[in-house]
Amino acid sequence: MVNHQTLGGPPAALSPEDLAALRADLLEQRLFRREQLRQLAAPRPSRAGGPRREAAARAEVRAKLAASARMVLADVEAALTRMAEGRYGVCHLCRRPLPLEHLTIVPQARYCDGCRRGRDAER
């Protein structure tokens, strides 16, 4: 079944095929982020005679990458939980269905574009 939407109209409900494809994307992201975190946690051989400032900068970048990967992993896990509970694909604020096009790009999305922009403007 293809999920057809009219431009400007409300998003259609996700079909079982849409959900299966989105779940596969989320599971792939989860594997990727877990592997990324494993690699970032692996000890790095120190370069003999390398400047300490460079080593500190590399460690800081690795820490920021790990924090970002943990954040995305948590969002992916939360999306998989919502999917298992039948609450996936609905905006957390306005409770409207999220467009398939949006979920295809960001399958762990929690908010529609309008609510996300409103949240971003408040910050």
Side-chain angles (χ1 to χ4, degrees), residues 6 21 28 33 39 41 44 48 50 52 57 61 65 69 84 86 89 92-94 97-98 101 112 114 122:
T6 58
E28 186 177 325
R33 295 302 174 179
Q39 289 179 7
R44 290 280 199 221
R52 288 184 189 192
V61 167
L65 285 171
H92 281 211
L93 293 178
C94 69
L98 298 174
E101 292 78 16
C112 67
E122 291 175 3

Side-chain angles (χ1 to χ4, degrees), residues 24-43:
D25 287 347
L26 288 165
L27 292 172
E28 186 177 325
Q29 275 196 51
R30 179 169 66 180
L31 285 174
F32 173 79
R33 295 302 174 179
R34 286 178 175 174
E35 176 61 19
Q36 183 182 29
L37 286 167
R38 187 192 64 72
Q39 289 179 7
L40 288 168

Side-chain angles (χ1 to χ4, degrees), residues 65-81:
L65 285 171
S68 176
R70 280 190 296 275
M71 227 170 39
V72 172
L73 180 57
D75 287 346
V76 166
E77 294 286 0
L80 286 166
T81 298

Side-chain angles (χ1 to χ4, degrees), residues 56-118:
R58 281 192 300 275
E60 183 178 347
V61 167
R62 291 170 64 81
K64 288 182 180 185
L65 285 171
S68 176
R70 280 190 296 275
M71 227 170 39
V72 172
L73 180 57
D75 287 346
V76 166
E77 294 286 0
L80 286 166
T81 298
R82 289 192 306 277
M83 194 175 277
E85 295 171 349
R87 300 181 298 112
Y88 179 79
V90 177
C91 178
H92 281 211
L93 293 178
C94 69
R95 302 291 183 225
R96 291 188 186 123
L98 298 174
L100 176 60
E101 292 78 16
H102 183 69
L103 290 170
T104 300
I105 296 167
V106 185
Q108 69 270 23
R110 294 174 190 229
Y111 305 102
C112 67
D113 285 339
C115 290
R116 183 185 45 79
R117 280 191 294 269

